[in-house]
Amino acid sequence: MVILKKSLLVAILVIFSMATSPIGAHFDPPGQPAVQVNVYFIGMSLSEDMDDGANGYADIIGTYKVTHSGHGTKDGKIDMFYYDWDTLKGKNGYIKKRLLYSHKECSPIKPITVEVGMEEHNTIFSNTQLGSGSITVTKPGIYEIKLDKGKALIEVKVTPAVLYSEKCSYFYDQPPSYASSLVSSSGGYIYDWQLANMIHMWIANRTGYANMVFIFNQCFGGGMIDDLKEKLKGTGDAAFLSASKHDEPAWGLGDDYNPDAFPEVKGKGFEKPEGFYPKEVGEELAKTGKDAPTIKELARRAEMEDIKGPYGLWKKDIERPQYTSVGRGDSIKIGKKADGSDVKSRHAILFAGDADSKRHWNNLDRAYKALKKHGFTDTDIIVLAGNGKTMPDGTNVPGYVDGPGTKKALYEAIVNVSKKMNKNEQLVFWVSDHGNRERIELSILKDIIDPVRQPVPPKRTARRPEQVSWDLDEEFLKVVKLDPDNQPYVSILVEATPEVVEYGEKMFRNIVLYMNGQMLELTMVEPIIAYDGEPDLDAFELVYYMDEELLGEENLIEVEWAGDPEMFIEYTILGLMISTGGINELEAEPVEAVEEQTLFELLKEYVPVYNENADNLPGFIKRIAGNERIDLEISLENGSVLNVGIVTEGGYITEFSKGRISEPTMRAWTDEEVARRIISSEDPMSTATNALKMGEIRYSGVGFGRTLRVFVFKVVIKVYRVVEVIGDLFG
């Protein structure tokens, strides 16, 4: 890049001292995020001299056809441009971009096939065919299309189209072989299917509701939605939001965040550690009256403002907020039915199970205060967080916290709220802090009828027939390593038969699991309620912690009775899970966004490089450019003008300043597109010289003497071109 910029500066100094119609776009959802896709023709190279002798150049014209899979086709002509063989000699010659095709769609972009047919135009004889060719691309970049006598250059450019976010954001359904869960402060986990069964059983199927809103801010939050959506379909109006997809972590700011050290992040409203998505959701949630958004509008705005989202400041390791709904969920507002009328009353459950970071409490506080603005009373809001008593720094929890963020407390809260619900009531269910992702299979129905060690093979989700090992995808294994504090585990669901219930803990201590040959010890036993949609005890979850190093893409899980064989009790395994363990929102290290260098900065940065190489310039250039005051004017793409003053003495640049220079001896004009085309060229000097010949860089002297010298030099260039033409005609 240094060479390119140095050459550009040399070319511009030498040159200065020498003295289309819009194309309509269309749009087809769905996808995420929304992007603007433009296809340009940017130039070509020739493999031989195709000048017909008329003007010293190859006069090239062509046709094109762009086929965008699933969207449409656009064809047309490529107007004449010129290729100077004497300057380029087979190298790529860049021209002003010609827009061939424009389209707004949802990423990832669908395949785009570009076909071109090029020919050298002759005024007397028939045109000479340069050949035709095509290329299919699926990502942005500059591409070459091979022709018989050269190569055509196209560019596919993809940029975010924020205004189309609403049309592109959509819900990614979680595969049936995986589940997500909430982490509690008691160590138990609330799986997506459990929560869905509880909400359906106690509210949707019993009391009814006006509408419900579910907001998941934790890692893998999108995975909590699919089961809820399926259970609530056809029962009423509901909307679902999450900070990230089912297989993605969420992001936030660490406890040591200092807003004054990162003014750009502070400028986005982050005065203290918070999660990125819950902060944006909270701001939208706090809007009342005529400014109050629908839940769909809230989700869209939060997605667009999320600085870790697809349209945010930081493009690496982004989170992809999710939104979907059932019934008329898109029209829900806080305190309102979908038809716009008021609900009779409102209820909320705010849950931050293992809230061990400052951002979790700040997230919670923002959500609580937003609901209070809508008229929620403390009686309307159940807040469960951490241990219910103290925050991580040892201070007391806020007075609005009603209890600990345990699994038992959450289930009790759902039951208690259900007693107040009816078809005129609204429920807001909000979650923050850690989340799990599980490889899951329910309804295994593996009957253990003897005490010998035996595998627990997958059934529905096995990759191959008769597969015994449990498979994990690469992304799952990557996620396990993201959080140094998570604790992966394997668990089995043991059916709560009368005999199992009777012996309970004494029996469970004798059930041993093996992961890839290593014995695991039983860590925790959790009762499973609402496994089958009824409010009774269905099973016990036996949880076995393990080391991350044990996990691989293929995992053999075996079960054995470790007690006295004669005391063996038959039992049935209903399901098995391999979990990442609680993954905390990842802490993003705030980084100041580096603005793209301006054209002036690019040039000024390499003035020393130019001066270091000034002695290598030809003598006649030193004489022409040796002692000048050059007033350079560059028309920028935003409609403004960049003025640059250049002073040379003895061939060296002694002054390079922004703005007009006083008492100039020479003036020059060009535009930003030409300057940047030279920067990106494979041969900046040749491209700059070609731009000069094509009149894309203009120049003149100031005063009679300088004007005469520049005039003489222009005549020399024209004579040189005439000699080139004569050489082409007569060999």
Side-chain angles (χ1 to χ4, degrees):
M1 196 64 181
V2 172
I3 296 174
L4 289 178
K5 293 173 181 174
K6 178 187 72 176
S7 301
L8 170 65
L9 189 59
V10 173
I12 287 180
L13 183 63
V14 170
I15 289 165
F16 295 153
S17 60
M18 290 185 204
T20 88
S21 302
I23 296 177
H26 66 287
F27 179 84
D28 296 297
Q32 180 183 346
V35 290
Q36 171 81 43
V37 181
N38 288 342
V39 179
Y40 299 95
F41 184 86
I42 61 173
M44 70 177 300
S45 64
L46 292 178
S47 56
E48 58 183 88
D49 188 357
M50 301 299 297
D51 178 18
D52 60 7
N55 59 4
Y57 307 111
D59 310 320
I60 302 174
I61 59 176
T63 59
Y64 71 89
K65 181 178 180 181
V66 179
T67 303
H68 198 173
S69 177
H71 298 308
T73 300
K74 180 77 171 61
D75 55 25
K77 296 180 179 180
I78 298 174
D79 294 333
M80 185 178 295
F81 62 94
Y82 305 100
Y83 186 89
D84 185 5
W85 176 266
D86 299 286
T87 299
L88 299 171
K89 298 189 183 301
K91 297 176 182 177
N92 288 331
Y94 294 87
I95 63 171
K96 190 169 184 177
K97 291 180 178 181
R98 315 284 177 90
L99 181 62
L100 307 183
Y101 175 78
S102 181
H103 173 67
K104 289 184 177 70
E105 69 167 329
C106 306
S107 66
I109 66 172
K110 297 290 182 64
I112 297 175
T113 300
V114 183
E115 305 172 61
V116 297
M118 311 303 295
E119 53 188 56
E120 204 277 333
H121 177 72
N122 291 299
T123 55
I124 301 176
F125 306 104
S126 60
N127 293 348
T128 302
Q129 299 299 315
L130 303 179
S132 59
S134 67
I135 191 171
T136 299
V137 303
T138 57
K139 59 183 179 180
I142 295 177
Y143 299 91
E144 295 180 340
I145 300 177
K146 293 183 179 180
L147 310 175
D148 293 338
K149 297 183 179 181
K151 298 174 183 177
L153 301 176
I154 65 163
E155 179 181 10
V156 177
K157 191 171 183 179
V158 177
T159 54
V162 177
L163 295 180
Y164 288 83
S165 172
E166 179 177 341
K167 297 183 179 181
C168 275
S169 297
Y170 70 105
F171 175 60
Y172 289 80
D173 199 9
Q174 184 165 243
S177 57
Y178 284 92
S180 297
S181 61
L182 310 180
V183 176
S184 73
S185 60
S186 58
Y189 311 102
I190 302 101
Y191 298 104
D192 48 9
W193 48 271
Q194 283 182 299
L195 179 62
N197 281 341
M198 288 291 289
I199 295 293
H200 180 264
M201 174 175 52
W202 287 106
I203 298 176
N205 200 38
R206 294 194 176 208
T207 64
Y209 58 97
N211 55 62
M212 291 190 283
V213 177
F214 295 86
I215 303 172
F216 298 100
N217 300 290
Q218 79 284 3
C219 296
F220 321 116
M224 299 299 298
I225 295 175
D226 55 341
D227 292 85
L228 276 166
K229 183 177 180 180
E230 182 63 29
K231 286 289 184 179
L232 296 181
K233 191 179 297 182
T235 68
D237 305 328
F240 312 89
L241 298 77
S242 73
S244 57
K245 288 172 55 183
H246 60 81
D247 57 355
E248 290 178 342
W251 291 79
L253 294 167
D255 287 358
D256 58 351
Y257 167 65
N258 178 6
D260 293 331
F262 302 98
E264 189 160 15
V265 180
K266 181 181 179 180
K268 288 290 186 178
F270 288 91
E271 297 287 346
K272 53 191 174 184
E274 290 187 76
F276 296 126
Y277 185 74
K279 179 261 186 184
E280 303 304 336
V281 168
E283 286 186 344
E284 294 299 322
L285 200 63
K287 295 177 180 178
T288 60
K290 64 179 182 179
D291 296 326
T294 65
I295 298 303
K296 181 178 181 180
E297 290 170 341
L298 183 155
R300 295 297 182 251
R301 293 172 189 171
E303 177 198 35
M304 287 188 283
E305 293 298 324
D306 182 355
I307 65 175
K308 260 294 185 178
Y311 307 103
L313 295 174
W314 300 330
K315 300 302 182 184
K316 184 180 179 182
D317 299 323
I318 65 172
E319 58 186 17
R320 295 170 178 82
Q322 303 288 282
Y323 173 79
T324 188
S325 65
V326 294
R328 297 173 297 170
D330 291 350
S331 301
I332 298 172
K333 287 188 175 183
I334 299 300
K336 300 286 186 180
K337 296 181 181 179
D339 62 8
S341 62
D342 292 338
V343 297
K344 184 176 180 180
S345 58
R346 296 152 286 198
H347 312 279
I349 297 175
L350 308 184
F351 184 80
D354 188 19
D356 58 0
S357 298
K358 290 180 181 179
R359 64 178 172 276
H360 301 146
W361 295 93
N362 291 333
N363 294 345
L364 183 68
D365 191 62
R366 184 183 286 277
Y368 170 77
K369 289 177 178 177
L371 294 179
K372 293 285 283 187
K373 285 187 176 182
H374 284 275
F376 282 71
T377 67
D378 283 347
T379 304
D380 299 328
I381 308 173
I382 298 176
V383 181
L384 306 173
N387 62 19
K389 298 178 181 179
T390 57
M391 294 191 289
D393 61 2
T395 59
N396 292 333
V397 300
Y400 55 74
V401 174
D402 298 295
T406 63
K407 184 175 182 179
K408 182 176 182 292
L410 179 59
Y411 282 180
E412 289 176 350
I414 294 173
V415 173
N416 289 334
V417 165
S418 74
K419 297 174 183 178
K420 304 175 184 179
M421 294 293 290
N422 57 56
K423 292 188 178 298
N424 292 311
E425 308 292 317
Q426 181 180 71
L427 172 63
V428 177
F429 190 96
W430 181 97
V431 178
S432 182
D433 92 81
H434 308 62
N436 291 347
R437 187 177 185 227
E438 284 83 29
R439 162 71 164 88
I440 187 170
E441 190 165 297
L442 302 177
S443 300
I444 291 178
L445 297 178
K446 172 71 173 176
D447 293 324
I448 309 298
I449 58 176
D450 58 55
V452 299
R453 181 169 165 177
Q454 55 191 294
V456 183
K459 298 294 184 183
R460 295 176 301 165
T461 57
R463 292 176 182 172
R464 302 177 303 276
E466 308 303 323
Q467 180 176 331
V468 174
S469 58
W470 288 75
D471 52 88
L472 294 176
D473 60 50
E474 186 177 349
E475 292 304 313
F476 187 97
L477 295 172
K478 287 181 180 178
V479 163
V480 171
K481 300 182 183 300
L482 287 177
D483 187 344
D485 299 322
N486 67 309
Q487 177 59 70
Y489 66 86
V490 181
S491 68
I492 56 173
L493 303 185
V494 175
E495 185 180 12
T497 61
E499 193 171 22
V500 168
V501 173
E502 179 184 353
Y503 286 95
E505 188 74 15
K506 293 180 180 179
M507 171 189 171
F508 298 145
R509 290 297 170 188
N510 289 314
I511 299 176
V512 175
L513 246 62
Y514 291 84
M515 165 65 80
N516 295 327
Q518 181 167 323
M519 186 175 72
L520 306 177
E521 292 188 7
L522 180 65
T523 308
M524 180 171 52
V525 177
E526 281 283 312
I528 297 295
I529 298 173
Y531 178 84
D532 57 3
E534 292 296 328
D536 58 353
L537 178 64
D538 298 306
F540 294 93
E541 181 182 11
L542 279 58
V543 179
Y544 301 78
Y545 287 166
M546 63 178 172
D547 293 331
E548 292 182 0
E549 290 71 20
L550 277 179
L551 286 173
E553 289 189 7
E554 297 288 337
N555 302 278
L556 177 62
I557 298 175
E558 300 167 289
V559 65
E560 182 183 43
W561 181 265
D564 185 345
E566 294 186 2
M567 301 296 293
F568 170 74
I569 300 172
E570 294 183 5
Y571 60 96
T572 299
I573 297 176
L574 300 177
L576 184 144
M577 284 168 282
I578 303 177
S579 179
T580 60
I583 303 293
N584 203 347
E585 298 101 324
L586 299 187
E587 295 182 2
E589 181 66 29
V591 178
E592 287 287 358
V594 179
E595 294 185 4
E596 183 180 357
Q597 284 184 296
T598 64
L599 193 56
F600 175 77
E601 291 168 337
L602 288 172
L603 295 173
K604 186 175 182 179
E605 184 176 301
Y606 287 91
V607 168
V609 179
Y610 166 81
N611 285 336
E612 289 175 4
N613 292 273
D615 289 337
N616 298 324
L617 294 174
F620 80 94
I621 292 180
K622 288 184 180 180
R623 287 192 294 274
I624 296 172
N627 299 279
E628 298 290 347
R629 296 178 63 81
I630 305 168
D631 185 15
L632 166 61
E633 183 177 295
I634 303 177
S635 299
L636 300 180
E637 293 176 352
N638 62 9
S640 62
V641 173
L642 169 64
N643 292 102
V644 178
I646 304 173
V647 178
T648 63
E649 294 181 7
Y652 294 91
I653 297 176
T654 58
E655 182 180 331
F656 194 91
S657 59
K658 192 173 184 179
R660 289 189 174 278
I661 194 170
S662 61
E663 300 180 356
T665 58
M666 300 194 72
R667 288 195 173 95
W669 301 266
T670 189
D671 60 45
E672 183 176 1
E673 194 279 330
V674 173
R676 291 192 180 278
R677 187 197 320 157
I678 294 170
I679 288 176
S680 61
S681 172
E682 296 174 356
D683 188 343
M685 282 296 292
S686 296
T687 302
T689 304
N690 199 49
L692 171 68
K693 292 178 181 179
M694 296 303 169
E696 294 178 315
I697 300 175
R698 296 171 292 118
Y699 51 94
S700 69
V702 177
F704 178 77
R706 291 297 199 287
T707 301
L708 179 62
R709 188 169 67 171
V710 170
F711 172 76
V712 170
F713 186 76
K714 288 183 177 179
V715 170
V716 170
I717 289 181
K718 290 182 179 179
V719 171
Y720 171 70
R721 295 307 301 144
V722 170
V723 172
E724 285 185 324
V725 172
I726 294 174
D728 290 336
L729 289 174
F730 300 101

